[in-house]
Amino acid sequence: MAIAPGIAIGPVFDTAEVPAEAPRRRIAAAAVEAERQRLAEAVALSRKQLGKLKTRLGILPEEAQEELEPLLDAYILMLGNSRLLRGARKRIESELLAAETAVQDEAEAIAALILAAKDDDKAGLKRRADEVREIARRLTRNLTSTPFRSLKEVPEGSILIAEELTPADAALLDPGKIAGVATEEGGADGHTAIMLRALGIPSVLGCVGLTETAQRGDMAVLDGSAGTLVLRPGEKALERGREALAAFTKERAKLAKLRRLPAVTTDGELVELQANLEIPAELPLIAQAGAQGIGLLRTEFLFMNREDLPDEEAQTQAYAQVLEAMGSDPVTIRVLDWGGEKDMEALSEGIAPTHAGPNPALGLRGLRLLLKRPELLEAQFAAILRVADKGNVRILLPMVTNPSEVKAAREIYERVAKRLKRKGVHLPDRLPELGCMIETPGAALAADAIALEADFFAIGTNDLAMYTLAVDRAEAEVAHLYDPLHPAVLRLMQFATEAALRLRMPVSVCGEMAGNPRLVPLLLGLGIRCLSMNASAIPRVKQMVRSLDIADCARFARRVMEQSDPQRIHELVMGFGTAKD
Ligand code: PEP
Ligand code: MG
């Protein structure tokens, strides 16, 4: 899995953890109190270690700190009055187990429960189970006095390899010293991946068999953009690696020059290129990429990795931080899109109980959930409105299928605004615009009706393709059928875009499709003038925009839209500019 772009060439350094030797052990009944005391000491030591790790966060870039701190807090919380410790203490007493055995048994029992939960977000479940195991490992190490691996010894310029790297480990990496990271485990959406991206260390995860094959000191060429690692490269592979490194550096410098240039076509049409933001850690990247604002702020990050809900005040602070960083550039904040493949502990663990149903993608997700639990929507609207005069903000509703949902959301929105005004909160004269995601076939085909209720559209092609083609976007088995260029998806996009343009209503595309430079001619040809994408894609997309003529794009789009064969559409789109289009 390609996790963070860049090329690293250097010796590998293996930091495999020395496994803690902790054979299963029983104790005598008379030793129960002493064993509980041992556990208490290990807990205290672990808390101290994590506290120290927290203070070391200070040396990391701010964005990395923000990502890691809540996780460390969660670990520390697990060392408080947690189920893990209560269970372990009970096992010491009732099963007469040694502390380390009790901790491991309890952690495995909890992990098994988490993993057995009925939830489609398998990666999320695994992450939570791993967090429990991670704390158990730390306790076991401390109970058996096994040393932790030290990342301090990693020689400068080397590629760190490991079976698994925890986010806490990743936090200790110095991006100025470490050339790259490759691990066997980990997922593209895990905390570790997010951290590595935030730190800008070229990284590849999911290299099965890596630690068994690699010897410390072996040369390797890692390509974080392609997701490859060549171990013990021959002269040819090494040469290719050097070339890729030179090309990457050159390309980055070239693209960086584009930052200040406008995204304008050769015939003078301006195209807005905005960024999608998933965590505040990406804010500096957005500035570097030359984005003209945030076209999609996914607010799910506020609700993740915590066992309670963020209150209005906490949300207000988070939005204020983003608005301040973005100055007068537009920021489109999407209200919580819970459900589907996303999962949030606070929402699923009883604080705001919800039931995803047997088919979560079709169940209570996005706006449906918010209308069912209006207190969530009210708090989020209020938090956004409180900071609305700090910048240029718009609000986006996820997973709309019916105009009545937009109407209902707007009623709540206006009610919240009135309440704030009564309280003396200063609001802008015109309330921020309220827009709709067009990400279901229903919304796309009813776009003319929904347009009457909404102030703008953002076409979410990720879900639109999923729902149109009945292909789960996160399911590897059917990935070959997932195709945003399928004529059915394109026709829906065209219908929705035209519905918006007829009313002169702003419309953007904010799915992954928007970040693919090869699809830009088609999107512009369909009438789209605003694209929102992951920040790192902006320079390449801008380069493409600056090479295009709108009339050519419109002609090209007409040709594409006449086709009904997906294969032919692919050929046309990938061949744009090579034939006479
Ligand atoms: C989409 O569905 O295309 C989209 C942008 O939203 P998300 O990826 O957050 O579901
Ligand atoms: Mg979506």
Side-chain angles (χ1 to χ4, degrees):
M1 274 174 291
I3 297 297
I7 311 285
I9 304 174
V12 301
F13 190 84
D14 175 13
T15 62
E17 242 179 70
V18 194
E21 294 261 341
R24 290 190 71 77
R25 207 160 54 82
R26 296 186 143 266
I27 54 167
V32 165
E33 211 30 63
E35 205 59 20
R36 285 174 67 129
Q37 185 54 33
R38 262 187 81 222
L39 177 59
E41 281 161 18
V43 168
L45 180 57
S46 303
R47 288 179 74 103
K48 212 165 123 192
Q49 289 163 342
L50 287 167
K52 228 164 114 187
L53 204 61
K54 242 183 110 170
T55 60
R56 274 196 245 157
L57 283 179
I59 59 159
L60 291 174
E62 204 175 317
E63 59 271 27
Q65 291 180 33
E66 278 162 4
E67 170 60 27
L68 201 72
E69 205 166 340
L71 189 71
L72 287 181
D73 285 339
Y75 286 158
I76 292 169
L77 217 63
M78 263 191 273
L79 293 169
N81 181 26
S82 66
R83 164 151 185 213
L84 175 66
L85 294 187
R86 284 197 306 273
R89 275 186 225 114
K90 212 153 143 200
R91 282 176 196 265
I92 292 175
E93 194 176 326
S94 58
E95 298 174 35
L96 296 179
L97 292 177
E100 55 273 24
T101 311
V103 165
Q104 283 165 24
D105 284 4
E106 186 61 25
E108 279 316 307
I110 297 173
L113 265 182
I114 294 174
L115 291 172
K118 242 180 137 242
D119 191 325
D120 279 351
D121 179 12
K122 295 292 175 236
L125 292 179
K126 183 168 180 306
R127 203 159 54 225
R128 274 163 51 205
D130 284 349
E131 284 172 9
V132 178
R133 287 180 172 137
E134 169 64 19
I135 276 299
R137 259 199 302 272
R138 183 173 290 275
L139 284 169
T140 306
R141 259 168 205 288
N142 287 331
L143 281 161
T144 55
S145 306
T146 312
F148 285 82
R149 73 167 144 222
S150 168
L151 292 164
K152 276 199 218 110
E153 311 157 7
V154 186
E156 200 160 335
S158 51
I159 296 172
L160 177 67
I161 61 168
E163 211 168 296
E164 190 172 9
L165 205 63
T166 66
D169 291 333
L172 296 175
L173 300 180
D174 177 350
K177 269 182 77 179
I178 289 191
V181 168
T183 72
E184 297 204 22
E185 304 272 336
D189 298 330
H191 296 300
T192 303
I194 292 168
M195 279 296 298
L196 291 169
R197 242 176 257 136
L199 290 167
I201 302 176
S203 307
V204 180
L205 302 190
C207 312
V208 181
L210 172 66
T211 52
E212 279 165 32
T213 326
Q215 302 283 328
R216 187 179 285 191
D218 280 352
M219 270 307 278
V221 177
L222 178 147
D223 185 335
S225 318
T228 58
L229 179 102
V230 182
L231 206 54
R232 299 186 280 273
E235 197 39 52
K236 254 195 193 149
L238 209 52
E239 189 50 37
R240 269 200 303 276
R242 287 193 203 105
E243 281 167 16
L245 179 59
F248 182 80
T249 315
K250 208 168 135 193
E251 164 100 343
R252 197 145 66 176
K254 199 173 110 200
L255 291 173
K257 287 200 189 121
L258 280 170
R259 187 158 71 104
R260 285 181 221 288
L261 297 178
V264 64
T265 58
T266 52
D267 53 332
E269 186 87 13
L270 263 173
V271 180
E272 257 179 293
L273 301 184
Q274 301 184 324
N276 293 349
L277 184 115
E278 300 213 62
I279 48 169
E282 292 168 89
L283 277 171
L285 268 181
I286 289 180
Q288 277 165 32
Q292 292 169 284
I294 295 173
L296 172 64
L297 171 58
R298 294 175 163 110
T299 54
E300 288 80 62
F301 76 90
L302 283 166
F303 294 77
M304 286 174 173
N305 296 322
R306 54 185 300 153
E307 285 167 8
D308 58 353
L309 290 167
D311 61 13
E312 191 178 310
E313 174 58 30
Q315 291 195 49
T316 303
Q317 278 177 21
Y319 304 141
Q321 183 204 352
V322 176
L323 286 178
E324 265 157 35
M326 297 307 295
S328 60
D329 286 343
V331 174
T332 302
I333 302 180
R334 184 174 72 185
V335 289
L336 178 67
D337 183 18
W338 184 87
E341 80 286 2
K342 299 168 189 157
D343 186 21
M344 273 139 238
E345 279 176 3
L347 288 163
S348 50
E349 279 177 9
I351 290 159
T354 54
H355 180 60
N359 202 338
L362 305 181
L364 199 58
R365 67 167 287 194
L367 185 58
R368 301 165 179 189
L369 168 74
L370 296 176
L371 290 177
K372 191 107 180 187
R373 305 196 56 90
E375 72 281 8
L376 293 173
L377 189 57
E378 283 164 15
Q380 205 163 10
F381 277 153
I384 299 170
L385 283 170
R386 279 181 185 280
V387 295
D389 62 355
K390 283 195 185 343
N392 179 1
V393 67
R394 306 194 301 177
I395 303 178
L396 183 57
L397 304 170
M399 195 54 195
V400 171
T401 50
N402 194 314
S404 66
E405 294 170 302
V406 189
K407 236 183 193 162
R410 194 180 288 281
E411 274 168 25
I412 295 175
Y413 183 46
E414 285 168 0
R415 204 165 60 228
V416 170
K418 263 195 205 134
R419 195 190 71 214
L420 289 179
K421 259 192 204 152
R422 268 202 310 274
K423 280 191 186 166
V425 176
H426 179 262
L427 299 182
D429 293 340
R430 280 191 55 198
L431 288 186
E433 291 183 343
L434 196 62
C436 273
M437 289 289 291
I438 300 292
E439 54 183 344
T440 61
L445 286 172
D448 46 352
I450 292 176
L452 301 176
E453 307 296 338
D455 297 323
F456 65 94
F457 280 168
I459 303 180
T461 51
N462 306 338
D463 278 320
L464 187 60
M466 168 167 103
Y467 289 114
T468 305
L469 305 173
V471 174
D472 195 318
R473 60 196 255 195
E475 169 65 82
E477 294 285 345
V478 285
H480 61 291
L481 291 172
Y482 182 84
D483 178 17
L485 286 178
H486 189 291
V489 182
L490 294 181
R491 288 170 193 174
L492 290 169
M493 290 176 66
Q494 184 179 37
F495 187 87
T497 305
E498 286 175 359
L501 295 180
R502 266 198 304 277
L503 297 180
R504 297 184 189 284
M505 197 175 87
V507 52
S508 64
V509 171
C510 64
E512 289 306 297
M513 210 179 173
N516 184 344
R518 308 187 90 156
L519 309 188
V520 173
L522 173 62
L523 295 177
L524 295 191
L526 289 173
I528 298 288
R529 295 290 180 273
C530 179
L531 301 168
S532 191
M533 64 203 82
N534 74 65
S536 59
I538 288 179
R540 274 190 193 86
V541 168
K542 190 189 274 186
Q543 198 173 30
M544 175 59 95
V545 168
R546 290 175 58 84
S547 74
L548 296 171
D549 174 277
I550 288 289
D552 285 349
C553 293
R555 241 189 328 271
F556 176 66
R558 274 198 298 277
R559 250 185 93 194
V560 170
M561 297 311 290
E562 280 165 10
Q563 306 297 325
S564 48
D565 175 18
Q567 182 59 32
R568 180 70 193 126
I569 293 179
H570 272 265
E571 285 164 14
L572 273 177
V573 169
M574 294 309 152
F576 177 84
T578 53
K580 271 214 135 322
D581 295 310

